[in-house]
Amino acid sequence: MSLLTIDNLSISLPVGSERQYAVDQVSLVVSEGKTTCVVGRSGSGKSVLAQAVTGLLPTTFSRTAGSIRLSGKPVPFLDDKKMRPIRASQLAMIFQDPMAALNPLMTIGDQVAEVTISRGALRRTELLDVLAEVDLPDPVQLVRRYPFQLSGGQRQRVMIAIAIARRPALLVADEPTTALDVLTQATILALLKRLQKTRNMGVLLITHDFGIVAEVADDVAVMDAGRLVEQGTASELLANPREAYTQQLLKLAKIDTQAAPRRRDMQANAEPQLRVRNLSQQFNQRMGFLKAVRSTKAVDCASFELYAGETLGIVGGSGSGKSTVGRCVLRLSKPSSGEVFVDDVDIAGMTERSLQRFRPHLQMIFQDPTASLNPRQPVGLGIQRDLQRAFGMTGAAARRRVLDIFALVQLDPRSVDRLPHAFSGGQRQRICLARALALEPKILVADEAVSALDVATQGEIIYLLKHLQEEMGFSMLFITHDLRLAARICDRLIVLESGRIVEEGTPTEIFDTPRHAYTKKLLGAVPGQSFMRSILPSASAPATA
């Protein structure tokens, strides 16, 4: 039975945008008790479609044609007053970033209860039942906590609890697992599938990942540049994609250890550029006034080498210690014990003053490019000032270097005077890459540098990183929870579990013949891989889509 019907919908973008329509003559159906996945790369119009369904479009957008009907009744466009009763009883949405969607000043219990205020306050027993239904631990204690006290996966479960508290007929999920590690992602997807069956909800799921489609979808619609390029049942479309665009996205969803040539025999030909010996990092947290201190060992006796021009991947689930290792290597965090040799100089115990001469040679790309850039400062100005401080360049010489590095990372040099908000997510990550490479580092640490980007943009950034590494010769620690990315860019891998290295080897060794139970668990959690192997047995994913 049809629950949501979108008929010939067209939504125009503001004047001056790169194209006329965000959504162009799109028609699709979400059936009761079924999941329809809308798939596409960044900018394809899939999130705009979700916003149109939920009535959350910016007022600068306008509908030029078509209609949206929910349970046979028209959904109003840009009329928040008329949308409120629909949201109260029939429709709910899960957003991509739960930390941005949750109120940091309200407890979890108050936020879940607040959404039901239109039909009377939620009784405490009902509130606890909703939290238990989404598998949140110890609901009695959790209702008193704030969002910052929860993990990323727990925050996303709270968002799901808020969404289902009113028992909606239709659930819209916009990239609900992006940037979560594979284990947490698998848990959230399993939870959504279970809730859909037990509550007989229709689900409109927005994603860029065909692995997720293979796990949860009943029907699929593929979008590119605002238009539907292909749609059908999941089983038919995954097995026989007609469009080249769909085929490219499918290939990018598969773990492919043959996607890139590997550097061989580095250990025999050179001394390590980075040597880490028995690295440990312990954090102490006081549980309350006059209460005991709890100690957590984030990294436990980790040892590894990184050779010149090599890419070493560090993979693991959330909380495994990956990012802590990267921060210790760059001395953004002082290790509790151990040695970090950069060109035979141990920087682990150095004072901050002594470290200054090493700083230009050790650079990092962070996960969130928006948080890494000053929103009030032109993007080129920060890089220019870094060059002036590090190398004593004049303003004119530093600006010329900024223009050159923008061209190197395939950004328009004329854009150096723009503010960060004027760029897309992929472009902002290129700016962060330009900032790191401008100082000509010997070692680059990429900490989940592309995890929040769509698979096609990820492919472009990965290809760019590999190309620049060949050209500039830097070594790279590539920290990621995405095993598909690790397979595509890394020469060697180490697997971290609870701060300890449990396995290391080449991508082929790790992914094709894993030895440790934790590695097998990580591989088993990557969405859709068994299906991908069956339909793409020998596909090599291209670097770009």
Side-chain angles (χ1 to χ4, degrees):
M1 179 179 174
S2 174
L3 175 64
L4 174 73
T5 303
I6 301 173
D7 184 28
N8 199 36
L9 183 67
S10 292
I11 298 172
S12 63
L13 287 163
V15 176
S17 301
E18 61 183 16
R19 65 175 190 261
Q20 184 177 359
Y21 294 105
V23 174
D24 190 2
Q25 298 180 345
V26 168
S27 297
L28 64 85
V29 171
V30 179
S31 299
E32 189 177 285
K34 301 290 185 181
T35 296
T36 296
C37 284
V38 180
V39 195
R41 62 171 299 164
S42 180
S44 63
K46 56 190 190 297
S47 289
V48 173
L49 186 67
Q51 290 169 345
V53 170
T54 53
L56 297 175
L57 275 175
T59 55
T60 52
F61 288 64
S62 60
R63 179 170 58 185
T64 59
S67 64
I68 303 172
R69 301 182 73 84
L70 181 60
S71 299
K73 297 179 180 179
V75 173
F77 189 81
L78 295 179
D79 192 332
D80 194 59
K81 187 176 181 179
K82 290 181 179 179
M83 280 300 301
R84 286 174 193 165
I86 297 174
R87 296 194 195 111
S89 59
Q90 301 180 62
L91 178 66
M93 186 167 185
I94 305 170
F95 297 93
Q96 179 174 343
D97 185 356
M99 197 61 179
L102 294 171
N103 188 330
L105 302 180
M106 289 178 65
T107 64
I108 297 304
D110 286 344
Q111 295 192 60
V112 177
E114 184 184 47
V115 300
T116 63
I117 201 166
S118 62
R119 64 176 178 86
L122 195 70
R123 296 201 312 267
R124 181 175 175 80
T125 53
E126 293 177 311
L127 172 61
L128 297 179
D129 287 345
V130 169
L131 295 176
E133 191 174 5
V134 296
D135 298 333
L136 279 163
D138 196 0
V140 174
Q141 295 297 323
L142 190 130
V143 292
R144 296 197 291 266
R145 293 182 185 170
Y146 292 87
F148 75 90
Q149 296 175 305
L150 307 184
S151 69
Q154 288 174 331
R155 285 193 290 265
Q156 195 59 283
R157 291 183 199 205
V158 170
M159 288 297 301
I160 296 172
I162 291 171
I164 67 170
R166 287 179 173 173
R167 298 191 171 274
L170 176 68
L171 179 65
V172 180
D174 187 5
E175 302 278 11
T177 59
T178 297
L180 297 177
D181 70 272
V182 289
L183 297 174
T184 307
Q185 183 183 61
T187 303
I188 296 296
L189 290 175
L191 173 62
L192 286 172
K193 285 175 68 175
R194 192 191 78 213
L195 289 172
Q196 180 201 29
K197 288 183 178 180
T198 57
R199 293 182 172 231
N200 198 35
M201 291 186 300
V203 177
L204 178 64
L205 193 146
I206 309 299
T207 184
H208 61 255
D209 186 347
F210 259 107
I212 290 175
V213 173
E215 287 286 332
V216 303
D218 296 297
D219 301 293
V220 188
V222 184
M223 289 190 71
D224 182 29
R227 298 186 68 90
L228 275 183
V229 297
E230 192 165 0
Q231 63 178 317
T233 65
S235 56
E236 292 172 351
L237 191 142
L238 288 169
N240 298 293
R242 299 186 308 274
E243 299 294 326
Y245 174 78
T246 308
Q247 294 166 10
Q248 295 279 26
L249 292 177
L250 267 169
K251 290 176 183 178
L252 288 167
K254 180 178 182 286
I255 293 178
D256 187 359
T257 56
Q258 306 303 316
R262 311 290 175 194
R263 297 170 180 83
R264 305 291 184 183
D265 300 324
M266 287 191 169
Q267 295 88 332
N269 298 329
E271 287 294 314
Q273 193 162 56
L274 170 72
R275 284 186 294 123
V276 176
R277 291 287 176 268
N278 299 318
L279 181 71
S280 293
Q281 180 63 289
Q282 182 170 297
F283 296 112
N284 298 320
Q285 180 184 13
R286 186 171 293 280
M287 302 309 293
F289 184 65
L290 297 180
K291 291 187 178 180
V293 173
R294 183 176 68 181
S295 295
T296 303
K297 214 162 197 179
V299 183
D300 189 5
C301 293
S303 298
F304 58 88
E305 294 84 29
L306 176 67
Y307 291 82
E310 181 188 34
T311 298
L312 176 65
I314 303 178
V315 299
S318 179
S320 60
K322 310 183 299 295
S323 294
T324 304
V325 169
R327 294 180 67 84
C328 288
V329 165
L330 296 188
R331 271 299 309 274
L332 299 178
S333 177
K334 189 173 182 178
S336 302
S337 61
E339 302 168 325
V340 179
F341 286 93
V342 177
D343 290 338
D344 295 322
V345 178
D346 185 9
I347 67 170
M350 276 188 178
T351 63
E352 189 60 38
R353 185 180 183 88
S354 301
L355 273 170
Q356 290 308 307
R357 66 189 179 94
F358 284 93
R359 288 295 184 205
H361 304 307
L362 308 171
Q363 292 295 310
M364 191 168 197
I365 309 172
F366 295 94
Q367 177 174 352
D368 186 354
T370 303
S372 302
L373 299 170
N374 187 333
R376 299 181 179 181
Q377 178 178 274
V379 293
L381 184 59
I383 303 174
Q384 181 177 322
R385 288 175 174 170
D386 287 346
L387 289 167
Q388 289 177 270
R389 281 193 297 267
F391 303 129
M393 287 184 174
T394 64
R399 183 171 176 83
R400 286 195 297 272
R401 173 63 177 158
V402 172
L403 296 175
D404 290 342
I405 202 72
F406 261 55
L408 191 65
V409 298
Q410 300 171 9
L411 287 170
D412 186 349
R414 294 173 297 181
S415 66
V416 295
D417 296 319
R418 296 180 190 168
L419 295 174
H421 71 80
F423 298 88
S424 68
Q427 287 172 326
R428 284 194 288 266
Q429 200 58 284
R430 288 174 190 255
I431 292 165
C432 293
L433 176 58
R435 183 174 63 184
L437 296 183
L439 299 178
E440 300 178 358
K442 293 180 179 179
I443 297 171
L444 180 67
V445 177
D447 186 8
E448 301 282 11
V450 295
S451 63
L453 303 175
D454 70 271
V455 288
T457 307
Q458 285 177 348
E460 293 169 2
I461 300 295
I462 292 297
Y463 176 81
L464 179 61
L465 276 169
K466 288 159 64 176
H467 171 74
L468 292 173
Q469 187 179 33
E470 293 288 343
E471 188 171 318
M472 302 179 71
F474 57 84
S475 308
M476 182 161 56
L477 279 182
F478 191 81
I479 298 168
T480 185
H481 65 256
D482 193 327
L483 306 186
R484 293 169 295 193
L485 292 177
R488 246 184 281 157
I489 193 172
C490 298
D491 303 303
R492 289 187 298 120
L493 293 172
I494 59 176
V495 182
L496 277 182
E497 181 190 19
S498 301
R500 298 188 69 88
I501 296 175
V502 297
E503 192 162 355
E504 55 185 309
T506 66
T508 301
E509 292 168 345
I510 296 291
F511 295 142
D512 292 352
T513 55
R515 300 183 302 276
H516 197 274
Y518 181 71
T519 310
K520 295 175 183 177
K521 184 179 179 182
L522 288 175
L523 287 165
V526 180
Q529 287 310 295
S530 58
F531 186 81
M532 290 296 164
R533 282 191 292 270
S534 68
I535 64 170
L536 299 168
S538 60
S540 288
T544 61

